[in-house]
Amino acid sequence: MTAPVATPAVAAAPEASAPASRGGGRASGSAGGPRTARVPAALGLVPFAVYVLVFLALPTVFAVGSGFFDKSGAFTLDNVAALGDPVILRTFWNSTWLSLLTAAVGAIVGALVCWAMLGLAESGPTRRIVDATAGVFAQLGGVILAFMFIATIGVQGILTLWVQDAFGIELYADGPWIYEVPGLILPYVYFQVPLMVITFMPALSALKPQWAEANLTLGGTRGGFWRYVGVPVLTPSFLASFLLLFANAFSSYATAAALASQGAQIVPLQIRGALSSETVLGRENLAGALALGMIVVVALVMWGYSIIQQRAARWQR
């Protein structure tokens, strides 16, 4: 019963392998198949490549390149040298500490939210509501977010007046800090926490239950699991998410521009001031040099992010 079935199979083997051994063209054709299949796939990226070129690459080149020319179009390094001005250095320092603080708060609070979500069913309604809310809040910014905070904790905000009437506490006894750099902390944390939830939750979900079971089987405790397994595995992902939050805060503009209408206390607002005024240090192309400094900082942060993310990706496969 098996011979008639086995014979054709054995006989068919040389026929199947013959074209590959005889015809190098057939073999190269099969190897060329994936190459030809990659052509349409690459063409699908053309619209995105054009979008990146028109709205990101070219504006970046023009903005940075303008920092190396003066008002008459002659090459100069005076704009780049102006980055050492105490006023410019103070704006970079304000952006740095504001980004570090909001990234740290957002990373810690967001990680705790992710840890709490581990106890929820992934397809449950609570988990889906938290995921959807985090996605919306992470993208909420600009004038809308600024208006929300002004209406809530502004000088005449609802919460400000309620606290004043109920407890006699003057939130602005020392001045309207909400329109200065400290006033940007709460709005930045508002979108940093949900961004952390979005970026860190996949890493936390990648912790395999088998690891916890093996830990318990070997006599380990729950705290020992997090100390020797969970925290070491999640540390690269946490640091990568922290760097992403830092870059997000360092480059944020719309919320700060809507809240702090006076002065240029952080780098994005300093660039706006340089573009809208020709009196800043007497160099109208200073905005290009400021953009160059900002790009260098963000590029270094994102380079560190990619390095750490490559290490973290090993545990997410």
Side-chain angles (χ1 to χ4, degrees):
M1 293 298 290
T2 57
V5 177
T7 302
V10 173
E15 295 178 3
S17 59
S21 59
R22 290 195 307 265
R26 174 83 175 265
S28 60
S30 60
R35 286 199 296 270
T36 56
R38 283 197 294 268
V39 174
L43 289 177
L45 294 175
V46 170
F48 177 73
V50 173
Y51 175 83
V52 172
L53 178 66
V54 174
F55 294 101
L56 180 61
L58 290 179
T60 301
V61 171
F62 291 149
V64 174
S66 65
F68 292 93
F69 297 92
D70 60 13
K71 186 176 181 180
S72 60
F75 180 81
T76 180
L77 293 177
D78 291 345
N79 295 322
V80 178
L83 294 178
D85 187 272
V87 176
I88 304 300
L89 292 178
R90 186 161 59 249
T91 58
F92 271 94
W93 167 243
N94 288 339
S95 291
T96 301
W97 75 256
L98 177 65
S99 302
L100 286 174
L101 177 62
T102 58
V105 174
I108 294 174
V109 176
L112 292 176
V113 173
C114 293
W115 179 72
M117 290 173 61
L118 278 182
L120 303 175
E122 188 171 355
S123 58
T126 305
R127 177 76 173 269
R128 287 185 295 177
I129 290 175
V130 174
D131 288 338
T133 304
V136 173
F137 287 178
Q139 303 300 323
L140 186 62
V143 177
I144 297 178
L145 182 60
F147 173 77
M148 288 171 53
F149 275 86
I150 291 175
T152 306
I153 61 171
V155 177
Q156 298 296 324
I158 297 175
L159 184 61
T160 303
L161 297 179
W162 179 77
V163 170
Q164 181 179 347
D165 295 338
F167 304 101
I169 299 176
E170 294 282 352
L171 295 181
Y172 298 101
D174 298 328
W177 48 265
I178 192 174
Y179 304 118
E180 300 175 353
V181 176
L184 299 177
I185 296 175
L186 289 178
Y188 277 28
V189 170
Y190 180 88
F191 58 72
Q192 294 278 56
V193 172
L195 181 59
M196 181 66 181
V197 173
I198 294 175
T199 58
F200 188 61
M201 193 64 208
L204 205 57
S205 300
L207 287 179
K208 294 179 172 53
Q210 293 85 349
W211 297 349
E213 295 171 0
N215 173 69
L216 294 176
T217 302
L218 296 175
T221 61
R222 186 179 180 86
F225 169 77
W226 285 106
R227 180 180 179 184
Y228 297 109
V229 180
V231 172
V233 169
L234 294 175
T235 296
S237 298
F238 181 85
L239 293 177
S241 299
F242 172 80
L243 291 178
L244 185 64
L245 266 61
F246 175 87
N248 182 50
F250 197 87
S251 58
S252 293
Y253 166 74
T255 303
L259 268 178
S261 59
Q262 300 294 329
Q265 303 164 350
I266 59 176
V267 178
L269 299 185
Q270 187 73 44
I271 294 176
R272 179 190 64 177
L275 289 173
S276 59
S277 174
E278 298 182 357
T279 61
V280 179
L281 299 179
R283 291 183 284 269
E284 61 180 358
N285 287 344
L286 178 63
L290 290 169
L292 174 62
M294 194 170 180
I295 289 174
V296 169
V297 173
V298 175
L300 289 175
V301 172
M302 297 313 298
W303 174 74
Y305 169 81
S306 64
I307 297 295
I308 297 175
Q309 188 61 27
Q310 290 177 2
R311 182 180 180 85
R314 295 185 305 174
W315 302 102
Q316 300 177 12
R317 294 169 184 167

